[in-house]
Amino acid sequence: MAFRIGLVLVAALSVWSIFTGVIDLTPAQAVTDPGGIALIGISRAPRTLAVLITGAMLAVAGAVMQVILRNRFVEPMTIGTGQGAALGILFASFLIPGAPLVVRMVFATVTALAATFLFLLIVRRLPPTQPLLVPLIGLVYGGLLEAGMTFIAYQYDMLQYIYTWTSGEFSGVLLGRYELLWIAVPVGAALYLIADQLAIIGLGRSMAVSLGLNYGQVMALALLAVAVVVSLTVVTVGMIPFVGLLVPNIVSRRYGDNLRQTLPLVALTGAGLVLASDIFARLVRYPFEVPVGTIFGVMGAVVFLFLLYSRPRHAR
Amino acid sequence: MHARTLGLLAGVLVLCCLGYLTLGARAGWDFILPFRAPKLAALLLVGASVSTATVLFQTITGNRILTPAIMGFDWLYVLLVTVAVHTIGGFALADLPPLVFFAIASLIMVAASLLLFGTLLLEARQDLIRMILTGVILSGLFRAGNGFLQRMIDPNEFSVIQVASYARFNVIDTEILPVAALLTLLGLAAAWRMRHRLDVLALGRDAAINLGEDPRRGYLQVLVVVAVLVSVSTAFVGPVVFLGLIVAAIAHVLTPVPYHAVLLPSAALVSMITLVGGQAILERVLHLSTPLSVIVDVAGGAVFILLLFRSLRP
């Protein structure tokens, strides 16, 4: 039921998104006027699709990360996966200047994986009695990677370049410049297929192994999927923080943690939330735009604080 | 007590200052001095105020892995400046005499930090990790809010903020130097006068009450001094997240005593050495263009994680 209402809402938002922009577009033009059709085909529709895919996939990646790390307060953009991907793009652009997008993508995935893996190594040494330590170390770790990035960027005079693609926004999305994002869709579907195995991983290593799960393999697959999704979004639209943190928390408050059931809802909520924020970003200072990542930064931080203080102690 | 260590540190600092003034100089003193001396003075001031703010903050929170910057103080200041620009306009703000601007900014900063950190942080003192996490998230919130407001501002006025929100040691606005110097010295003097009371406050709430100290009043006064010191140093060089943490940690190693009469000067000396020496090496020896603050942040993040791990050990 909730899923159907959500679908209708997201569809309505998508239509609104198609008709939002600097060039006025009436519904009549959208069907008959060749200029209107071209506008939709080249700019509006790709942008809307890009937002939907990004939102859905970031939310799914966050849900998977929270299950793997068994912690409600983590998500790829705050524990170094996103920063790792950005670092990879930076390496790619000064090792192979003018590298095609796919090469940058591969670099980003490898470094995102490495960054996440290192984080898992650090986290494994933390005492399980202090669940809030995981997000804290994650935030500092992400900040460390970012500072490293700034250092390199300064040396090679690429600070502005970095600034443009680390602040997540969709204004650059046009036909022919976002298609890589579609790769995220089958990856997300694959995560859905192994949702049950992921849920078992969430029970802990010993439990998963004694239930006959190939723990290492499933873990590796999940991490790879998350790294690919995150790298795709960082390469095409930049970093949008907190999506992966908020959406799974909102959904699981009501529908619990059965990933197989909740993942579609998580994806839909993520898509809708990011799309709503993107429309807001386009309208709030019309005709200029505010990066959607900034809006999510503000919104996400407030909700994070709410989660931090509202959750009853015994529920953590 | 520890006079030798302090003397040694002072000696190193003098060497660093000389190095900063003379290294790579291709002209005479009378030419170099007007350029480098104000910058040197600024670095010294910032160094002392950052370290003092950190030591004071660690004392009232009873923890050595904290620094005002991790808890978002710096970005709060930047955000306040942005809000001010947003409401009264950048040019009107730039027209204000620096002293008036500083006074207003510091006042708002004191009020805001008392409200926010006084209630939120000091009450939540028992649950350390939650408190730090709150601070880090608040810091992110101020940062994002700042970014959002900046996008809403006229591009011409934007330049006014940009000056405030970037940590920069090579280009220092010497125009505000006298004002900043005055305020910093006042803050440092206040901290120094409180040094014995700080020793008492560091023992914790109950012990402080038993020793005849009103902890609530003490914490309040300390927060005011911290807010002033942070505003001045942020206005000067922008946010430096981890500098205070590193230098306080080093000071604890070099002079392992709980007395603020030793700790405050020792941390200040280490901090000034780090800034002046680091800047001299970076600028004149290595010729790197990266700001020192970025390097300090990389090192500082690592130190923070290390300290956190160490504090977890039983």
Side-chain angles (χ1 to χ4, degrees), chain A residues 280-305:
Chain A
F280 178 73
R282 275 181 273 174
L283 292 178
V284 65
R285 182 149 166 62
Y286 188 84
F288 303 108
E289 276 189 34
V290 174
V292 78
T294 314
I295 292 175
F296 251 94
V298 176
M299 206 164 70
V302 173
V303 179
F304 191 109
L305 288 177

Side-chain angles (χ1 to χ4, degrees), chain B residues 36-199:
Chain B
R36 294 191 178 179
K39 279 194 199 177
L40 177 66
L43 286 175
L44 292 174
L45 283 175
V46 169
S49 66
V50 167
S51 73
T52 307
T54 303
V55 171
L56 294 186
F57 196 69
Q58 290 183 342
T59 297
I60 57 167
T61 51
N63 204 289
R64 286 190 188 170
I65 51 181
L66 292 181
T67 163
I70 293 184
M71 314 303 289
F73 270 62
D74 291 18
W75 281 103
L76 177 64
Y77 177 83
V78 177
L79 180 66
L80 288 174
V81 174
T82 308
V83 170
V85 173
H86 199 49
T87 43
I88 68 172
F91 294 112
L93 204 67
D95 275 345
L96 280 178
L99 188 61
V100 176
F101 176 68
F102 259 132
I104 297 173
S106 305
L107 249 154
I108 303 175
M109 176 78 182
V110 169
S113 59
L114 280 185
L115 214 80
L116 209 61
F117 302 104
T119 53
L120 205 64
L121 298 183
L122 294 182
E123 297 306 315
R125 196 176 153 155
Q126 308 83 348
D127 193 347
L128 174 75
I129 304 292
R130 181 192 295 236
M131 173 174 137
I132 307 178
L133 192 58
T134 309
V136 174
I137 291 292
L138 279 177
S139 179
L141 177 63
F142 300 148
R143 218 169 139 171
N146 186 53
F148 180 71
L149 278 181
Q150 287 190 353
R151 288 287 179 137
M152 307 288 287
I153 284 175
D154 193 71
N156 293 319
E157 302 193 332
F158 180 71
S159 59
V160 178
I161 309 163
Q162 197 142 45
V163 175
S165 57
Y166 234 100
R168 60 222 178 301
F169 290 109
N170 359 10
V171 197
I172 277 172
D173 187 0
T174 43
E175 224 171 272
I176 56 174
L177 187 60
V179 185
L182 182 71
L183 282 172
T184 307
L185 291 178
L186 278 177
L188 292 179
W192 181 249
R193 268 198 62 182
M194 288 181 79
R195 63 193 184 278
H196 300 305
R197 288 176 57 210
L198 285 169
D199 294 344

Side-chain angles (χ1 to χ4, degrees), chain A residues 233-248:
Chain A
T233 47
V234 174
V235 165
T236 35
V237 296
M239 289 208 252
I240 306 176
F242 289 123
V243 181
L245 183 100
L246 298 193
V247 177

Side-chain angles (χ1 to χ4, degrees), chain A residues 126 130 132-133 136-137 139-140 144 146-147 151 154-155 159 285 290-291 294 297-298 301 304-305 308-309 316, chain B residues 129-130 132-134 136-138 141 144-145 148 151-152 166 288-291 294 298 301-302 304 308-309 312:
Chain A
L126 295 176
Q130 291 275 19
L132 292 183
L133 259 179
L136 178 62
I137 300 265
L139 284 164
V140 175
L144 226 159
E146 223 169 286
F151 176 78
Y154 244 108
Q155 290 311 312
L159 209 57
R285 182 149 166 62
V290 174
T294 314
V298 176
F304 191 109
L305 288 177
L308 195 59
Y309 282 89
R316 272 189 281 116
Chain B
I129 304 292
R130 181 192 295 236
I132 307 178
L133 192 58
T134 309
V136 174
I137 291 292
L138 279 177
L141 177 63
F148 180 71
R151 288 287 179 137
M152 307 288 287
Y166 234 100
L288 288 178
S289 57
T290 309
V294 176
V298 176
F304 177 78
L308 208 55
F309 267 107
L312 290 172

Side-chain angles (χ1 to χ4, degrees), chain A residues 134-193:
Chain A
V134 177
L136 178 62
I137 300 265
L139 284 164
V140 175
Y141 174 70
L144 226 159
L145 292 181
E146 223 169 286
M149 214 157 73
T150 315
F151 176 78
I152 298 171
Y154 244 108
Q155 290 311 312
Y156 293 87
D157 228 346
M158 298 205 289
L159 209 57
Q160 201 167 20
Y161 174 71
I162 274 205
Y163 182 75
T164 1
W165 50 251
T166 47
S167 60
E169 60 177 326
F170 294 95
S171 57
V173 173
L174 289 174
L175 188 70
R177 286 174 63 178
Y178 84 106
E179 280 74 5
L180 218 54
L181 265 183
W182 281 102
I183 302 175
V185 176
V187 177
L191 280 173
Y192 179 66
L193 285 181

